[in-house]
PDB file of all heavy atoms in Angstrom:
ATOM      1  N   ILE Z 969       0.866  18.796  -9.875  1.00  0.00           N
ATOM      2  CA  ILE Z 969      -0.283  18.003  -9.999  1.00  0.00           C
ATOM      3  C   ILE Z 969      -1.316  18.446  -9.156  1.00  0.00           C
ATOM      4  O   ILE Z 969      -1.119  18.747  -7.982  1.00  0.00           O
ATOM      5  CB  ILE Z 969      -0.040  16.489  -9.758  1.00  0.00           C
ATOM      6  CG1 ILE Z 969       1.114  15.922 -10.654  1.00  0.00           C
ATOM      7  CG2 ILE Z 969      -1.154  15.667  -9.720  1.00  0.00           C
ATOM      8  CD1 ILE Z 969       1.643  14.562 -10.436  1.00  0.00           C
ATOM      9  N   HIS Z 970      -2.597  18.459  -9.690  1.00  0.00           N
ATOM     10  CA  HIS Z 970      -3.764  18.825  -8.908  1.00  0.00           C
ATOM     11  C   HIS Z 970      -4.860  17.820  -8.996  1.00  0.00           C
ATOM     12  O   HIS Z 970      -4.794  17.041 -10.016  1.00  0.00           O
ATOM     13  CB  HIS Z 970      -4.393  20.193  -9.248  1.00  0.00           C
ATOM     14  CG  HIS Z 970      -3.201  21.230  -9.041  1.00  0.00           C
ATOM     15  ND1 HIS Z 970      -3.126  21.830  -7.710  1.00  0.00           N
ATOM     16  CD2 HIS Z 970      -2.453  21.909  -9.866  1.00  0.00           C
ATOM     17  CE1 HIS Z 970      -2.254  22.778  -7.831  1.00  0.00           C
ATOM     18  NE2 HIS Z 970      -1.852  22.813  -9.093  1.00  0.00           N
ATOM     19  N   GLY Z 971      -5.831  17.769  -8.119  1.00  0.00           N
ATOM     20  CA  GLY Z 971      -7.090  17.021  -8.294  1.00  0.00           C
ATOM     21  C   GLY Z 971      -8.077  17.975  -8.798  1.00  0.00           C
ATOM     22  O   GLY Z 971      -7.936  19.242  -8.600  1.00  0.00           O
ATOM     23  N   CYS Z1005      -9.701  20.463  -4.688  1.00  0.00           N
ATOM     24  CA  CYS Z1005      -8.446  19.798  -5.140  1.00  0.00           C
ATOM     25  C   CYS Z1005      -8.241  18.645  -4.136  1.00  0.00           C
ATOM     26  O   CYS Z1005      -8.159  18.818  -2.957  1.00  0.00           O
ATOM     27  CB  CYS Z1005      -7.280  20.816  -5.057  1.00  0.00           C
ATOM     28  SG  CYS Z1005      -5.647  20.001  -5.431  1.00  0.00           S
ATOM     29  N   GLU Z1007      -5.797  16.290  -4.796  1.00  0.00           N
ATOM     30  CA  GLU Z1007      -4.395  15.710  -4.822  1.00  0.00           C
ATOM     31  C   GLU Z1007      -3.445  16.736  -4.304  1.00  0.00           C
ATOM     32  O   GLU Z1007      -3.492  17.873  -4.725  1.00  0.00           O
ATOM     33  CB  GLU Z1007      -4.023  15.347  -6.185  1.00  0.00           C
ATOM     34  CG  GLU Z1007      -2.617  14.816  -6.419  1.00  0.00           C
ATOM     35  CD  GLU Z1007      -2.448  13.512  -5.565  1.00  0.00           C
ATOM     36  OE1 GLU Z1007      -2.810  12.397  -6.066  1.00  0.00           O
ATOM     37  OE2 GLU Z1007      -1.875  13.645  -4.461  1.00  0.00           O
ATOM     38  N   TYR Z1008      -2.614  16.319  -3.298  1.00  0.00           N
ATOM     39  CA  TYR Z1008      -1.717  17.225  -2.589  1.00  0.00           C
ATOM     40  C   TYR Z1008      -0.899  18.116  -3.593  1.00  0.00           C
ATOM     41  O   TYR Z1008      -0.237  17.572  -4.412  1.00  0.00           O
ATOM     42  CB  TYR Z1008      -0.788  16.390  -1.740  1.00  0.00           C
ATOM     43  CG  TYR Z1008       0.276  17.196  -1.009  1.00  0.00           C
ATOM     44  CD1 TYR Z1008      -0.065  18.174  -0.121  1.00  0.00           C
ATOM     45  CD2 TYR Z1008       1.568  16.977  -1.304  1.00  0.00           C
ATOM     46  CE1 TYR Z1008       0.898  18.958   0.520  1.00  0.00           C
ATOM     47  CE2 TYR Z1008       2.535  17.679  -0.699  1.00  0.00           C
ATOM     48  CZ  TYR Z1008       2.260  18.679   0.220  1.00  0.00           C
ATOM     49  OH  TYR Z1008       3.182  19.420   0.838  1.00  0.00           O
ATOM     50  N   CYS Z1009      -0.910  19.408  -3.388  1.00  0.00           N
ATOM     51  CA  CYS Z1009      -0.281  20.307  -4.293  1.00  0.00           C
ATOM     52  C   CYS Z1009       0.542  21.321  -3.499  1.00  0.00           C
ATOM     53  O   CYS Z1009       0.986  22.245  -4.146  1.00  0.00           O
ATOM     54  CB  CYS Z1009      -1.259  21.018  -5.289  1.00  0.00           C
ATOM     55  SG  CYS Z1009      -2.486  21.998  -4.372  1.00  0.00           S
ATOM     56  N   HIS Z1013      -2.907  23.513  -0.183  1.00  0.00           N
ATOM     57  CA  HIS Z1013      -3.779  22.453  -0.859  1.00  0.00           C
ATOM     58  C   HIS Z1013      -5.157  22.516  -0.380  1.00  0.00           C
ATOM     59  O   HIS Z1013      -6.155  22.496  -1.294  1.00  0.00           O
ATOM     60  CB  HIS Z1013      -3.089  21.173  -0.644  1.00  0.00           C
ATOM     61  CG  HIS Z1013      -3.921  20.000  -0.923  1.00  0.00           C
ATOM     62  ND1 HIS Z1013      -4.424  19.734  -2.133  1.00  0.00           N
ATOM     63  CD2 HIS Z1013      -4.336  18.850  -0.171  1.00  0.00           C
ATOM     64  CE1 HIS Z1013      -5.229  18.648  -2.137  1.00  0.00           C
ATOM     65  NE2 HIS Z1013      -5.145  18.091  -1.012  1.00  0.00           N
ATOM     66  N   MET Z1016      -7.956  25.201  -1.858  1.00  0.00           N
ATOM     67  CA  MET Z1016      -8.117  25.277  -3.250  1.00  0.00           C
ATOM     68  C   MET Z1016      -9.518  24.656  -3.532  1.00  0.00           C
ATOM     69  O   MET Z1016      -9.621  23.419  -3.593  1.00  0.00           O
ATOM     70  CB  MET Z1016      -7.002  24.350  -3.943  1.00  0.00           C
ATOM     71  CG  MET Z1016      -6.923  24.596  -5.234  1.00  0.00           C
ATOM     72  SD  MET Z1016      -5.384  23.826  -5.982  1.00  0.00           S
ATOM     73  CE  MET Z1016      -5.740  23.694  -7.637  1.00  0.00           C
TER      74      MET Z1016
HETATM   75 CU1   CU U1428      -4.233  21.233  -5.173  1.00  0.00          CU
END
Side-chain angles (χ1 to χ4, degrees):
Chain Z
I969 297 172
H970 297 281
C1005 176
E1007 182 56 85
Y1008 174 62
C1009 59
H1013 165 54
M1016 192 165 164

